[in-house]
């Protein structure tokens, strides 16, 4: 199983600041198969980024993804009030999907 | 618009069974691979089953293989999850989700249905 580790566990920032979230895999991940999701309390996850760097439909351009191999990054260029949430990375490989444990972005 | 609506959750005793359903609308269901993904209370996301658009390809993680069965009825635009030999640790909100075309991500999710396994 390809285990995903996310850091930090919690990121405390102010609106307008830049957020950098890390996702590290125990085995190499195809860049086509790395995604990021946002989840708010009581809601289902929402797809933000797929294929490492492609934004899903309706996702603002302040969200960007990058990386390759085992190290991937989600960047939020300037936090809006609605961006405070939990973020998960997810990979596919060897007929299996795994999610990272999540990074909570909260208001400082 | 794309809609996925889960149903069938509830309280069940350890060792019991439950069948979840997911009604899909707003897209050509038979064109898409689908999955079930769960989230234990206060915890992260865990993938539990995956089925191809025709139903011919199915994957499970080790944690549920042999106990859970995913299926679909394309004529009824519906996805199912039969859960047997339930354990306390299967307690979670269960989401059905649509897989994207080529990138193995999940672009639409239902609102989830809560399964509680407790004596």
């Amino acid at each position: 199983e390809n285990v995903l580790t996310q850091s930090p566990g919690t990121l405390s920032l102010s609106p307008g600041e830049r957020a950098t979230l890390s996702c590290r895999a125990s085995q190499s991940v195809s860049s086509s198969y790395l995604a990021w999701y946002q989840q708010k309390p009581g809601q289902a996850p929402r797809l933000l980024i797929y294929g490492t760097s492609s934004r899903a439909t309706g996702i603002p351009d302040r969200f960007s993804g990058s990386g390759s191999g085992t190290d991937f990054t989600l960047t939020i260029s300037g936090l809006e009030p609605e961006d405070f949430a939990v973020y998960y990375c997810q990979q596919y490989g060897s007929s299996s999907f795994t999610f990272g444990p999540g990074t909570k972005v909260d208001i400082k | 618009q794309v809609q996925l609506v889960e149903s069938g959750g509830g309280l069940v005793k350890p060792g019991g069974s439950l069948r979840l359903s997911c009604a899909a609308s707003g897209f050509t269901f038979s064109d898409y691979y689908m999955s079930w993904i769960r989230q234990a209370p206060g915890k992260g996301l865990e993938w539990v089953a995956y089925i191809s658009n025709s139903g011919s390809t199915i994957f499970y993680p080790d944690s549920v293989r042999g106990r859970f069965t995913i299926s679909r009825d394309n004529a009824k635009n519906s996805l199912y999850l039969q859960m047997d030999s339930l354990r306390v640790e299967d307690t979670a909100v269960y989401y059905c989700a649509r897989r994207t075309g080529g990138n193995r991500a999940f672009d639409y999710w239902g609102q989830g249905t809560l399964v509680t396994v407790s004596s």
Side-chain angles (χ1 to χ4, degrees), chain A residues 28-71:
Chain A
S28 185
V29 177
S30 165
S31 59
S32 296
Y33 297 157
L34 193 287
W36 290 91
Y37 301 84
Q38 177 194 68
Q39 188 178 33
K40 297 178 181 179
Q43 296 185 16
R46 177 174 73 146
L47 177 65
L48 297 175
I49 300 287
Y50 63 91
T52 296
S53 59
S54 297
R55 278 186 297 276
T57 303
I59 301 304
D61 60 8
R62 65 180 180 272
F63 292 92
S64 63
S66 63
S68 65
T70 59
D71 290 295

Side-chain angles (χ1 to χ4, degrees), chain B residues 19-101:
Chain B
R19 188 193 196 209
L20 306 183
S21 299
C22 172
S25 61
F27 66 103
T28 304
F29 181 69
S30 58
D31 284 348
Y32 287 85
Y33 288 43
M34 301 291 295
S35 269
W36 289 95
I37 295 161
R38 68 185 179 185
Q39 186 169 37
K43 302 297 184 184
L45 300 166
E46 180 188 15
W47 162 71
V48 295
Y50 173 82
I51 188 168
S52 63
N53 59 330
S54 66
S56 60
T57 299
I58 289 174
F59 304 147
Y60 305 98
D62 290 344
S63 58
V64 307
R65 188 177 295 115
R67 301 188 300 120
F68 288 12
T69 304
I70 189 172
S71 63
R72 64 190 297 160
D73 185 335
N74 287 341
K76 294 183 177 180
N77 291 335
S78 292
L79 178 72
Y80 306 102
L81 185 68
Q82 176 67 41
M83 303 186 294
D84 298 318
S85 303
L86 282 161
R87 304 168 181 168
V88 170
E89 56 265 33
D90 294 319
T91 294
V93 173
Y94 284 73
Y95 296 101
C96 71
R98 189 181 85 168
R99 199 205 78 180
T100 60

Side-chain angles (χ1 to χ4, degrees), chain A residues 67-88:
Chain A
S68 65
T70 59
D71 290 295
F72 298 88
T73 300
L74 174 70
T75 301
I76 310 171
S77 60
L79 284 163
E80 297 286 343
E82 62 267 27
D83 298 337
F84 292 93
V86 179
Y87 293 83
Y88 296 96

